[in-house]
RNA sequence: GGGGUUGUAGCUCAGAUGGUUAGAGUGCCUCGUUGACAUCGAGGAGGUCACAGAUUCGAGUUCUGUCAGCCCCACCA
C-alpha cells in the first residue's frame, strides 16, 4: 500500500472533494424532502468584499451545525447570499471613478448604477468562491442577493405596508450627517469617541444694555445659527432675566433668553446657547419654544451662504475665524480644556455633523415591543445568554430609525412627488400618473434605503416572500442565527422586528453569538493596522480543515479569540495524525478479507475499551453540539482520536496485526475500521474534507460522508459491553504503564529498551484480569513479559499505583539513597492527603451534611491512599535494608 | 454616567448543575530514527486559579467589594 502519501496534504484533495459534493448536489434540499426542517440563513457578506477571518469563523460555526443536522437526517438548508452594502460598495465605485478623473454626478444616476452593477458582476462572485474553499455546504442553487428581484419585491411590500400603517413616515428632523459620505446615517452608525476639546465662554449682551449673559460652548462656529439662550427655570442666578432679549454677537440678531428644564445648572455657566439646526438637544428645545432653525453649515461641512464673510469656510476654519472675531469684539471671556464625546461616521471616521434635513424614519416603539417580548418569553434564546440583556436594554431605549440615505446604490424609496398637486404617493409598483390629480409630472424620491432595511427581511425574503412559497412555509422560522456580537443592533434586532411584524413569528429560535477574531496581540484586525491574516492564504498553506479546527477550538461562545499561526500548525498536526492513523489502518487492510464479522468472544479488552470510549465520546460530542459548545465538542474528538485511539488502541492492536492468527488479526481490523469510520463521521462537521478523503478509502463505507448518518451510541449497541470492569482494568493497566515509563526515565533507561517488570497485586480478581492482558503493559511500556509475584525483588526500582506495586529489578543500577528520597517524597505527599482527608472524615458536619456518595468516595480514596503508603513504606524499608 | 466582560502553567486558552491531589495546546528541559506519523514518541519542570471578605462541612466554580485590562451603551452645551 504505497499510494497513500505519508503526510497530510490537503491541497491535493480539498478542491476536488468540494467540486464532487457540489456536482452531486449534496448541498441542495427541497421543501418536500424528508426530515424535520433545519435552516440557517447566512449573514450575507458584502457582495464585493472578500473573505476575512471573521467570515471564516462565522461560516465554520454555521457549517458545523449544518453538516451535523444534515447527517442527523434533518431536512437541512443553509441559505447563502450576499449584501449590496450600500455605502461601502458605492464608495468603492466612486473611488474608481475618481481615479478616472470623473465622479458620479458627472456620470448621472443611471450610468453610475450601471457601473456599480458591472462592478458587482466583476467582483461579486469572489466571496462565494472563497466561502467554498472553506468547505461551506451552502445550497448555492438558492444563492440570493439583497438587491435581486425577490428581495426587492420584499422590500417594496414591506415599505409600503409600514408606510400605510403609519410606521414609516417622512419628516424634517435633525439627523446624523456625514459630510464625507454625503448622506444621513442612523444613530448606530455613529461611533462616539472622547476627544480633547475646549469649552469657550462667550458673552452675549442684553438688548437693553443692562449687561450680558455668559454662555459656554464646545462649538463656537455654530453661534451663527443661534436663535436663543436657555437657562434652567429654577436657576436663581438667571430667574429674573428670563424673557429678556439678547443680541447675538457678530450677527446682531435678537434672540430670546428662555427657561427650559433640560439645562444643567451645574455645567458651564448654566446658560446654553441654542442652535436648533445643528444640535439634537437644541433642536428639541427649539421645537418646545418655537425657535427658528437657521442652518449655517452645509451638507459638505462648509459654512452656508448668508453668514456673511464666513460663508464657504470649512466648519473648523470658521471656528478659528469666529473665535478671533469674538475675541476682537470682547465677547470671548475664557477658554478651558474640556473632554467630550464626538460622533464619527462608522464608515469613514469623519466627524458627524448633526443637521436638519428631510428624511424617512421607521417608528420604533410599536415594532420594538413584540421584539422585546420574544426574547423575554424565551421564543428567541441567545447563546450565550448574557446578550439577552444587551438586546433588551437597547430595544427599550430605541429611537426612530432613519432609513433614508442620500446615495444611489440601494433600494430606491418607492415614493413619488407630484409637481401638479404637490402630493406624495407611496406605491408598491412604479407609477407614472398621480393618483390624486392624474397629473403626469411625477418625480420619484431620490433617496435609497439603509442597507440594513433589506437585510432585516433576509430570513423571509430569501425563502420566497412576498410569495407564500413552500420554502417559506417549511423553513420559517429558521432555527439559528450565527453572528458576531457587533451586529446585534444593526441586524439581529431588526430581523426580529420585521419577522414578527410580517410573518407573525420570530425569524429564528436561537441566536448563536461569537466574538471577534483578533491578531496575536489581541488587536482588532483592520486594514489601517495592516494586521489582518488572510484566511485564503492560511487555507492554501494548512488546509481548510486545519483553519476550521483552529477557529472552533480554544474559545468559548461570545468571547473574542486571538489568532495564532501556531494554533493552525497544531490543528494541521492533528490532521496529520488522523491521516497517518488512517494510513496505518488502510495499510494493514490491504489484501485482507474485510467482510469478516467477529463473534462476541473474539473481542479482547482493548477492543471493548475503545468501543466503550467511543460511545462515551459520541455522547459528549452530541451533548456539546446541542449546547452550541462547539469548541468543547472538538476537544472531545481531539482527545479521543489522538490519545485513546492513536496512543493506546492502535498500539495495542499491533501484536494481532503482526501475529499469525488470522482470526485475531481480522478482529482487530474489524474494530479498527469500525471505530475509525465512526470517528470520522463524528468529526466530519468539523473537518469535512479530511474525513471525506479518508472515509472513501475505507471498505466499510459507501457514499459521501456528508450524507452518512451522524454517529449515535445506539449504533454501537451490538458491540458495547457495559462493564465497569473494563474501565477499572484499563485504568490499572494505564497507571502501571505510566509508572514503568516513569521509572525508566528516572534512571536514564532508553524508553524503547525492554525491561523486566515484576508486578505485585493483592486483589486476586484484578490480578487475574491484568494477567490476561499483561502484554498490553509489555507493548505500551516497552517491557519484557511480566512476572507476577508476591515477592519483592531485592534490588529494584519500585512504584505504587492504585491496585499494584511495580518493580524494575535493576541490580547495580540502583542508587538506594536516591530511591529512598524519591519514594519518601511520594509517601509524604500521600500522607499529607491522608491527614487532611482523615480530618475531613472526622468532621461530624461533613459526615452529616455531605451527600452519602461523596463521603463514600472519600473513604474509598482514603483507603487506597493508605494502601499506597503501606506499600511505599515496605519498599523504603527494603531499600534501607540493603 | 450606566451596563457587560476578562484576570487559571512562560504564552494562548478549556474547566456543566460548588465535592476536595486544577487540565490542554504551545514553548522550555532530558531521552528516543526498528515497519502509521519527527507535522512523531516517552518523560520532566512549571500554577497560593488577580486581591480581600462572605456563604458553605467543602469555593477556580456562588455572593459582595477592591485592583487591572478590554468592550458596549449614553443628547450635559
Amino acid at each position: 500500500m504505497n499510494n497513500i502519501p505519508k503526510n497530510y496534504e490537503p491541497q491535493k484533495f480539498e478542491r476536488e472533494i468540494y467540486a464532487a459534493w457540489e456536482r452531486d448536489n449534496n448541498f441542495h434540499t427541497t421543501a418536500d424532502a424528508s426530515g424535520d426542517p433545519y435552516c440557517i440563513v447566512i449573514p450575507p457578506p458584502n457582495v464585493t468584499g472578500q473573505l476575512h477571518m471573521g467570515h471564516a469563523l462565522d461560516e465554520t460555526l454555521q457549517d458545523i451545525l449544518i453538516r451535523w443536522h444534515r447527517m442527523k437526517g434533518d431536512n437541512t438548508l443553509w441559505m447563502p447570499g450576499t449584501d449590496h452594502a450600500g455605502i461601502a460598495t458605492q464608495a468603492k465605485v466612486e473611488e474608481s471613478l475618481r481615479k478616472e478623473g470623473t465622479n458620479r454626478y458627472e456620470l448621472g444616476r443611471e450610468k453610475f448604477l450601471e457601473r456599480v452593477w458591472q462592478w458587482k458582476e466583476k467582483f461579486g462572485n469572489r466571496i462565494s468562491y472563497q466561502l467554498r474553499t472553506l468547505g461551506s455546504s451552502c445550497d448555492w442553487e438558492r444563492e440570493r442577493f439583497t438587491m435581486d428581484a425577490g428581495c426587492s419585491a420584499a422590500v417594496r411590500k414591506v415599505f409600503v405596508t409600514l408606510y400605510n400603517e403609519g410606521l414609516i413616515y417622512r419628516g424634517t428632523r435633525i439627523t446624523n450627517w456625514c459630510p464625507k459620505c454625503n448622506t444621513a446615517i442612523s444613530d448606530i452608525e455613529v461611533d462616539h469617541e472622547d476627544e480633547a476639546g475646549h469649552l469657550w465662554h462667550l458673552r452675549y449682551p442684553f438688548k437693553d444694555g443692562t449687561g450680558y449673559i455668559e454662555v459656554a460652548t464646545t462649538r463656537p462656529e455654530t453661534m451663527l445659527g443661534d436663535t436663543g439662550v436657555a437657562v434652567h427655570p429654577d436657576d436663581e442666578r438667571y430667574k429674573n432675566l428670563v424673557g429678556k432679549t439678547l443680541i447675538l454677537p457678530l450677527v446682531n440678531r435678537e434672540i430670546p433668553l428662555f427657561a427650559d428644564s433640560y439645562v444643567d445648572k451645574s455645567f458651564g455657566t448654566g446658560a446654553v446657547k441654542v442652535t436648533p439646526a445643528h444640535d439634537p438637544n437644541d433642536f428639541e428645545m427649539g421645537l418646545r419654544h418655537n425657535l427658528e432653525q437657521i442652518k449655517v453649515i452645509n451638507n459638505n461641512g462648509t459654512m452656508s451662504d448668508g453668514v456673511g464673510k464666513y460663508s464657504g469656510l470649512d466648519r473648523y476654519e470658521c471656528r478659528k475665524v469666529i473665535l478671533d472675531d469674538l475675541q476682537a469684539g470682547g465677547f470671548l471671556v475664557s477658554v478651558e480644556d474640556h473632554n467630550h464625546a464626538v460622533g464619527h461616521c462608522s464608515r469613514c471616521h469623519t466627524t458627524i455633523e448633526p443637521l436638519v434635513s428631510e428624511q424617512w424614519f421607521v417608528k420604533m416603539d410599536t415594532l420594538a415591543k413584540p421584539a422585546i417580548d420574544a426574547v423575554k418569553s424565551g421564543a428567541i434564546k441567545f447563546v450565550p445568554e448574557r446578550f439577552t440583556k444587551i438586546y433588551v436594554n437597547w430595544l427599550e431605549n430605541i429611537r426612530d430609525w432613519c432609513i433614508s440615505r442620500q446615495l444611489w446604490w440601494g433600494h430606491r424609496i418607492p415614493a413619488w412627488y407630484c409637481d401638479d398637486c404637490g402630493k406624495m404617493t407611496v406605491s408598491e409598483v412604479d407609477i407614472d400618473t398621480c393618483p390624486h390629480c392624474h397629473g403626469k409630472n411625477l418625480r420619484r424620491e431620490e433617496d435609497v434605503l439603509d442597507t440594513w432595511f433589506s437585510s432585516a427581511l433576509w430570513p423571509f425574503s430569501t425563502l420566497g416572500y412576498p410569495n407564500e412559497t413552500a420554502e417559506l412555509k417549511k423553513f420559517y422560522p429558521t432555527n439559528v442565527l450565527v453572528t458576531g456580537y457587533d451586529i446585534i443592533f444593526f441586524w439581529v434586532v431588526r430581523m426580529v422586528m420585521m419577522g414578527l411584524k410580517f410573518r407573525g413569528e420570530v425569524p429564528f429560535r436561537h441566536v448563536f453569538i461569537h466574538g471577534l477574531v483578533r491578531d496575536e496581540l489581541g488587536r482588532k484586525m483592520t486594514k489601517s493596522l495592516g494586521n489582518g491574516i488572510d484566511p485564503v492564504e492560511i487555507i492554501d498553506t494548512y488546509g481548510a480543515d486545519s483553519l476550521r479546527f483552529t477557529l472552533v477550538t480554544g474559545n468559548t461562545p461570545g468571547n473574542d479569540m486571538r489568532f495564532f499561526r501556531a494554533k493552525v500548525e497544531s490543528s494541521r498536526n492533528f490532521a496529520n495524525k488522523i491521516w497517518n492513523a488512517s494510513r496505518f489502518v488502510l495499510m494493514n487492510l490491504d489484501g485482507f478479507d474485510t467482510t469478516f464479522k467477529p463473534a462476541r468472544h473474539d473481542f479482547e479488552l482493548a477492543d471493548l475499551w475503545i468501543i466503550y470510549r467511543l460511545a462515551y465520546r459520541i455522547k459528549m460530542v452530541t451533548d456539546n453540539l446541542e449546547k452550541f459548545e462547539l469548541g468543547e465538542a472538538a476537544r472531545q474528538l481531539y482527545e479521543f482520536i489522538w490519545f485513546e485511539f492513536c496512543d493506546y488502541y492502535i498500539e495495542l492492536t499491533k501484536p494481532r496485526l503482526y501475529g499469525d492468527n488470522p482470526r485475531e488479526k481480522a478482529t482487530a481490523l474489524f474494530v479498527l475500521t469500525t471505530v475509525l469510520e465512526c470517528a470520522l463521521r463524528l468529526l466530519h462537521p468539523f473537518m469535512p474534507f479530511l474525513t471525506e478523503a479518508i472515509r472513501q478509502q475505507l471498505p466499510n463505507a459507501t457514499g459521501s460522508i456528508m450524507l452518512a448518518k451522524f454517529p449515535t451510541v445506539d449504533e454501537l449497541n451490538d458491540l458495547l459491553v457495559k462493564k465497569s470492569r473494563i474501565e477499572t482494568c484499563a485504568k490499572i493497566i494505564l497507571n502501571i504503564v505510566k509508572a514503568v515509563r516513569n521509572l525508566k526515565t528516572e534512571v536514564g533507561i532508553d524508553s524503547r529498551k525492554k525491561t523486566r517488570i515484576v508486578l505485585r497485586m493483592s486483589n486476586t480478581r484484578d490480578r487475574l484480569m491484568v494477567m490476561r492482558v499483561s502484554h498490553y503493559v509489555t507493548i505500551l511500556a516497552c517491557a519484557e513479559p511480566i512476572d507476577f509475584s508476591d515477592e519483592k525483588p531485592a534490588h529494584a526500582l519500585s512504584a505504587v499505583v492504585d491496585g499494584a506495586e511495580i518493580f524494575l529489578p535493576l541490580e547495580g543500577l540502583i542508587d538506594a539513597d536516591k530511591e529512598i528520597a524519591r519514594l519518601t517524597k511520594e509517601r509524604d505527599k500521600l500522607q499529607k492527603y491522608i491527614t487532611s482527608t482523615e480530618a475531613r472524615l472526622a468532621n461530624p458536619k461533613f459526615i452529616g451534611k455531605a451527600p452519602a456518595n461523596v463521603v463514600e468516595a472519600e473513604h474509598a480514596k482514603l483507603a487506597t491512599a493508605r494502601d499506597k503508603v503501606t506499600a511505599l513504606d515496605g519498599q523504603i524499608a527494603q531499600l534501607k535494608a540493603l
Side-chain angles (χ1 to χ4, degrees):
Chain A
M1 198 77 182
N2 306 316
N3 55 347
I4 302 175
K6 193 171 156 184
N7 286 325
Y8 163 67
E9 295 168 49
Q11 300 80 358
K12 289 197 176 156
F13 55 79
E14 289 191 350
R15 247 165 240 282
E16 282 168 44
I17 285 175
Y18 195 91
W21 284 335
E22 219 175 343
R23 174 169 14 87
D24 295 343
N25 219 12
N26 287 350
F27 306 147
H28 183 61
T29 193
T30 53
D32 59 3
S34 65
D36 296 337
Y38 186 84
C39 180
I40 298 179
V41 292
I42 204 169
N46 178 345
V47 68
T48 62
Q50 53 183 317
L51 192 69
H52 63 238
M53 267 314 162
H55 291 125
L57 171 62
D58 196 52
E59 305 297 333
T60 298
L61 298 176
Q62 291 174 73
D63 197 45
I64 289 169
L65 294 172
I66 284 286
R67 285 179 184 273
W68 168 46
H69 278 273
R70 192 184 285 120
M71 290 175 78
K72 268 172 65 172
D74 291 342
N75 183 3
T76 305
L77 169 62
W78 188 7
M79 176 66 74
T82 49
D83 191 282
H84 66 280
I87 303 184
T89 308
Q90 172 158 335
K92 278 185 194 169
V93 177
E94 287 197 82
E95 172 64 15
S96 105
L97 289 180
R98 198 186 59 76
K99 283 179 184 157
E100 293 171 25
T102 180
N103 61 54
R104 68 169 157 128
Y105 303 103
E106 273 181 28
L107 223 56
R109 187 166 190 143
E110 223 169 287
K111 283 263 178 329
F112 177 74
L113 286 178
E114 273 173 32
R115 283 291 298 259
V116 186
W117 278 105
Q118 282 165 15
W119 185 278
K120 185 246 168 194
E121 292 311 317
K122 191 170 171 193
F123 298 107
N125 290 324
R126 182 167 56 177
I127 188 102
S128 305
Y129 281 118
Q130 289 179 329
L131 294 180
R132 283 173 165 88
T133 65
L134 240 193
S136 316
S137 59
C138 303
D139 193 345
W140 293 111
E141 221 170 282
R142 299 179 183 277
E143 186 173 4
R144 296 292 299 272
F145 175 51
T146 51
M147 271 176 61
D148 64 24
C151 288
S152 300
V155 165
R156 281 272 191 120
K157 170 115 183 176
V158 165
F159 184 92
V160 172
T161 307
L162 291 174
Y163 179 79
N164 288 339
E165 291 184 21
L167 293 174
I168 283 183
Y169 62 90
R170 185 165 179 255
T172 304
R173 295 289 135 89
I174 192 151
T175 46
N176 309 294
W177 185 270
C178 175
K180 187 169 175 209
C181 299
N182 207 24
T183 178
I185 55 177
S186 65
D187 294 337
I188 45 176
E189 287 164 284
V190 178
D191 296 334
H192 293 274
E193 279 171 39
D194 273 347
E195 278 182 9
H198 302 283
L199 195 58
W200 285 276
H201 290 243
L202 312 178
R203 85 180 26 151
Y204 284 13
F206 288 109
K207 185 186 175 191
D208 59 11
T210 55
Y212 57 84
I213 190 162
E214 194 177 312
V215 299
T217 181
T218 54
R219 298 200 55 196
E221 69 279 11
T222 62
M223 68 154 306
L224 298 171
D226 283 1
T227 51
V229 169
V231 295
H232 194 275
D234 300 336
D235 195 329
E236 295 300 332
R237 292 172 291 179
Y238 305 117
K239 227 168 184 170
N240 303 327
L241 302 172
V242 170
K244 295 187 82 166
T245 301
L246 296 156
I247 302 292
L248 185 63
L250 308 183
V251 184
N252 293 324
R253 178 167 44 231
E254 294 188 7
I255 59 174
L257 177 66
F258 63 94
D260 191 295
S261 53
Y262 157 78
V263 179
D264 177 355
K265 285 188 282 185
S266 62
F267 187 89
T269 63
V272 190
K273 61 185 263 320
V274 180
T275 324
H278 294 287
D279 180 279
N281 298 307
D282 294 3
F283 180 81
E284 294 296 326
M285 280 198 281
L287 290 182
R288 286 197 287 273
H289 299 274
N290 252 322
L291 301 182
E292 201 186 339
Q293 297 169 2
I294 300 178
K295 193 171 167 183
V296 295
I297 303 176
N298 291 319
N299 291 357
N300 64 3
T302 61
M303 305 310 289
S304 45
D305 291 345
V307 290
K309 66 182 232 194
Y310 308 108
S311 293
L313 290 178
D314 174 79
R315 50 185 166 159
Y316 297 110
E317 276 174 52
C318 177
R319 176 178 298 177
K320 286 183 209 155
V321 179
I322 291 262
L323 285 169
D324 285 348
D325 292 351
L326 286 169
Q327 170 105 51
F331 300 110
L332 179 59
V333 181
S334 59
V335 194
E336 54 186 296
D337 290 339
H338 178 64
N339 288 342
H340 59 143
V342 177
H344 298 266
C345 173
S346 60
R347 257 208 57 76
C348 69
H349 210 70
T350 304
T351 303
I352 288 302
E353 190 59 50
L355 285 182
V356 173
S357 58
E358 193 150 57
Q359 302 290 347
W360 293 80
F361 297 88
V362 180
K363 217 162 155 349
M364 281 291 129
D365 43 10
T366 53
L367 291 171
K369 178 75 173 55
I372 294 169
D373 294 342
V375 165
K376 282 190 170 168
S377 71
I380 295 176
K381 289 195 176 71
F382 276 87
V383 180
E385 212 199 328
R386 72 180 120 97
F387 290 103
T388 305
K389 204 172 163 184
I390 294 172
Y391 168 99
V392 169
N393 183 53
W394 191 76
L395 269 177
E396 283 175 345
N397 296 297
I398 197 168
R399 298 193 300 168
D400 287 355
W401 173 18
C402 175
I403 49 170
S404 46
R405 296 289 179 275
Q406 287 64 53
L407 306 170
W408 289 347
W409 176 241
H411 296 101
R412 193 165 177 180
I413 290 174
W416 284 261
Y417 305 101
C418 175
D419 286 338
D420 297 333
C421 67
K423 287 186 173 155
M424 180 181 78
T425 306
V426 167
S427 168
E428 212 177 313
V429 292
D430 288 0
I431 54 169
D432 56 10
T433 308
C434 173
H436 303 287
C437 69
H438 305 289
K440 293 280 184 188
N441 291 313
L442 291 175
R443 277 179 300 109
R444 186 168 179 180
E445 167 66 62
E446 296 282 326
D447 292 355
V448 300
L449 290 167
D450 182 0
T451 297
W452 296 102
F453 191 92
S454 53
S455 317
L457 318 182
W458 192 245
F460 50 92
S461 63
T462 53
L463 290 172
Y465 183 90
N467 299 315
E468 292 298 320
T469 58
E471 283 80 2
L472 194 53
K473 286 185 193 119
K474 183 79 173 185
F475 294 109
Y476 191 95
T478 68
N479 295 72
V480 51
L481 180 82
V482 182
T483 195
Y485 58 70
D486 50 334
I487 56 174
I488 292 176
F489 303 146
F490 283 102
W491 194 42
V492 179
V493 164
R494 288 157 177 177
M495 280 191 287
V496 177
M497 291 192 297
M498 292 301 191
L500 287 167
K501 173 71 185 166
F502 288 92
R503 302 309 300 162
E505 271 185 290
V506 296
F508 27 72
R509 310 283 185 204
H510 288 275
V511 182
F512 179 27
I513 298 289
H514 60 251
L516 269 36
V517 184
R518 298 174 173 278
D519 75 357
E520 300 202 3
L521 301 171
R523 301 173 305 180
K524 234 170 157 169
M525 291 187 185
T526 61
K527 271 190 200 133
S528 52
L529 279 173
N531 60 345
I533 298 173
D534 180 7
V536 175
E537 187 251 308
I538 296 287
I539 291 170
D540 288 345
T541 315
Y542 301 99
D545 288 333
S546 304
L547 175 61
R548 291 168 62 114
F549 198 81
T550 302
L551 290 171
V552 83
T553 48
N555 83 325
T556 205
N559 285 9
D560 291 351
M561 68 179 303
R562 298 194 197 184
F563 189 90
F564 290 89
R565 201 168 271 267
K567 264 197 219 169
V568 191
E569 279 171 23
S570 162
S571 302
R572 190 270 321 269
N573 294 351
F574 178 46
N576 186 62
K577 189 73 181 177
I578 298 166
W579 183 263
N580 274 288
S582 307
R583 187 164 149 261
F584 170 80
V585 173
L586 290 168
M587 281 166 69
N588 283 288
L589 225 40
D590 208 16
F592 211 77
D593 173 22
T594 51
T595 59
F596 173 76
K597 292 270 180 298
R600 199 87 188 186
H601 62 265
D602 287 315
F603 295 122
E604 57 176 62
L605 178 78
D607 302 328
L608 299 173
W609 175 76
I610 196 68
I611 290 163
Y612 172 85
R613 294 308 299 165
L614 176 60
Y616 171 77
R617 300 297 188 174
I618 290 173
K619 179 167 170 17
M620 293 306 284
V621 170
T622 307
D623 287 356
N624 280 297
L625 282 172
E626 273 161 10
K627 290 188 293 186
F628 296 97
E629 294 280 357
L630 309 192
E632 180 60 16
R635 198 182 61 84
Q636 291 289 333
L637 280 157
Y638 185 94
E639 288 181 355
F640 176 74
I641 292 171
W642 201 315
F643 304 149
E644 294 174 347
F645 188 65
C646 293
D647 286 353
Y648 294 128
Y649 185 68
I650 283 186
E651 292 307 318
L652 292 180
T653 60
K654 283 178 180 174
R656 282 183 285 170
L657 295 182
Y658 300 150
D660 48 17
N661 183 327
R663 192 172 179 90
E664 284 185 357
K665 179 171 179 183
T667 302
L669 280 172
F670 172 82
V671 178
L672 280 168
T673 50
T674 301
V675 171
L676 176 61
E677 194 277 333
C678 186
L680 289 173
R681 276 182 286 130
L682 202 57
L683 180 65
H684 177 259
F686 301 85
M687 305 180 101
F689 293 111
L690 170 66
T691 50
E692 179 75 285
I694 295 169
R695 187 170 174 277
Q696 281 176 1
Q697 303 191 51
L698 288 179
N700 55 340
T702 51
S704 169
I705 192 172
M706 66 172 286
L707 303 177
K709 249 185 90 227
F710 194 73
T712 59
V713 174
D714 285 349
E715 79 179 60
L716 298 176
N717 270 346
D718 292 347
L719 304 172
L720 209 50
V721 180
K722 281 178 189 147
K723 273 192 190 165
S724 62
R725 296 291 296 162
I726 294 169
E727 272 287 85
T728 309
C729 187
K731 253 182 213 155
I732 294 174
I733 302 245
L734 294 181
N735 280 335
I736 293 169
V737 167
K738 233 176 147 76
V740 173
R741 285 170 171 175
N742 212 318
L743 288 175
K744 284 168 81 171
T745 308
E746 195 80 31
V747 285
I749 302 175
D750 179 343
S751 62
R752 320 264 326 203
K753 193 183 169 199
K754 293 208 170 182
T755 30
R756 202 156 84 72
I757 297 175
V758 177
L759 280 185
R760 198 161 92 121
M761 296 181 67
S762 49
N763 182 313
T764 314
R765 216 170 133 204
D766 286 350
R767 187 177 61 237
L768 289 174
M769 194 147 190
V770 172
M771 280 172 93
R772 229 184 310 157
V773 290
S774 66
H775 61 291
Y776 288 178
V777 178
T778 311
I779 299 160
L780 295 175
C782 210
E784 287 176 11
I786 292 166
D787 294 334
F788 286 85
S789 162
D790 284 342
E791 298 297 314
K792 301 178 188 175
H795 297 270
L797 283 178
S798 58
V800 179
V801 298
D802 287 4
E805 279 186 78
I806 301 153
F807 301 93
L808 303 206
L810 289 165
E811 202 154 355
L813 272 176
I814 294 174
D815 178 338
D817 290 341
K818 209 174 136 196
E819 283 310 298
I820 290 167
R822 183 175 61 81
L823 295 171
T824 306
K825 192 177 158 197
E826 170 102 24
R827 198 210 97 103
D828 290 349
K829 202 174 134 196
L830 275 168
Q831 188 55 52
K832 216 173 139 191
Y833 171 73
I834 289 169
T835 309
S836 74
T837 306
E838 279 172 345
R840 194 161 36 246
L841 285 167
N843 183 344
K845 285 182 180 168
F846 175 68
I847 301 294
K849 297 199 177 179
N853 62 324
V854 172
V855 178
E856 206 178 306
E858 287 302 307
H859 274 293
K861 281 191 274 184
L862 180 61
T864 58
R866 280 174 173 158
D867 287 350
K868 279 194 200 173
V869 168
T870 308
L872 285 167
D873 281 340
Q875 293 175 4
I876 292 165
Q878 187 165 9
L879 282 162
K880 282 184 174 163
L882 287 177

